Structure formats: C-alpha cells, structure tokens
Amino acid sequence: QVHLVESGGGPEQAGGSLRLSCAASGAISTHSMGWFRQAPGKEREGVAAIATDGQTNYADSVQGRFTISKDNSKNTLYLQMNSLSSEDTAVYYCAASQLWIVVPLLLSQNSYNSWGQGTQVTVSS
C-alpha cells in the first residue's frame, strides 16, 4: 500500500476553480487511482478515477467540469475542478489500488485499499 496525502482544498466561490493534489509515498505508475468525496450528511461517492492504462471514469455530476490526471514522475494525482458550485462542497479523498480496475468499477470505493485523510473543499454561492 502507498501512503497518500491530499492538498489543495480550501474555500472558493461558486464558478471558481481549484486543483487538488494527492502525493503518494511510492510509485503509482501501476496503480489505479481515484478521487472520492463526502458531503455533510451524505455517503462518500466516487468523483473521478483513472485506471493504470489511463482510462478515466467520472461521476455524471462532475463530467465536463472536473479533470483527473496523474503524473507518474512525481507520484502525484491531480483533480482539476472548474465551474464549482455549492454542491461540490465536501471532503475530498484520494484512493489507490495496486490492482487493475475495470472502468465501470473505478468509482467504487471497494476497489481501493489505500486512502488519504482528505482535504476540505467549501464552495460558497
């Protein structure tokens, strides 16, 4: 397992942008990785994920607004979030798995075995 540390969260106004980063303690070139979020009073949900071959999967709610990317040379996962709304307010978590995950299961929490501590994103309208 790799140790994951998220950063880049914070307050932002509606319509603005934020970029989250997730630094891994080891190589992630062979890892499937994803971003999840949990809003107050709601269950954690998958937001965006990237497979080892670069295929991606996005939740319908963020499709076209969020972009996931991975820099294997820096062992870092990113989530570029544009056109933010108050509904994006949540704690965002990074997750990783050494296993290859089929695209339909990339947004399933059960596919991952390494998790970061989360970073808070608060969007005000």
Side-chain angles (χ1 to χ4, degrees):
Q1 297 184 357
V2 292
H3 180 63
L4 304 172
V5 178
E6 303 94 336
S7 61
E12 183 58 73
Q13 292 189 341
S17 299
L18 284 173
R19 188 177 80 156
L20 304 183
S21 298
C22 172
S25 60
I28 58 172
S29 59
T30 58
H31 284 64
S32 298
M33 301 191 73
W35 287 98
F36 293 75
R37 68 185 180 186
Q38 187 167 19
K42 295 186 178 181
E43 294 187 355
R44 189 159 57 183
E45 63 174 355
V47 175
I50 185 166
T52 55
D53 62 358
Q55 293 188 80
T56 57
N57 196 351
Y58 292 92
D60 291 343
S61 60
V62 306
Q63 182 75 45
R65 299 188 299 121
F66 291 10
T67 302
I68 189 170
S69 62
K70 186 160 67 108
D71 188 335
N72 292 329
S73 67
K74 296 181 178 180
N75 296 333
T76 301
L77 180 73
Y78 301 99
L79 184 67
Q80 178 66 44
M81 306 187 295
N82 299 327
S83 302
L84 287 164
S85 73
S86 58
E87 295 183 353
D88 296 317
T89 294
V91 177
Y92 284 73
Y93 299 90
C94 171
S97 170
Q98 306 102 308
L99 302 177
W100 177 73
I101 302 171
V102 294
V103 171
L105 294 180
L106 281 173
L107 295 182
S108 171
Q109 299 181 60
N110 294 333
S111 298
Y112 300 89
N113 59 358
S114 295
W115 291 86
Q117 292 301 306
T119 184
Q120 176 71 49
V121 171
T122 303
V123 183
S124 57
S125 57

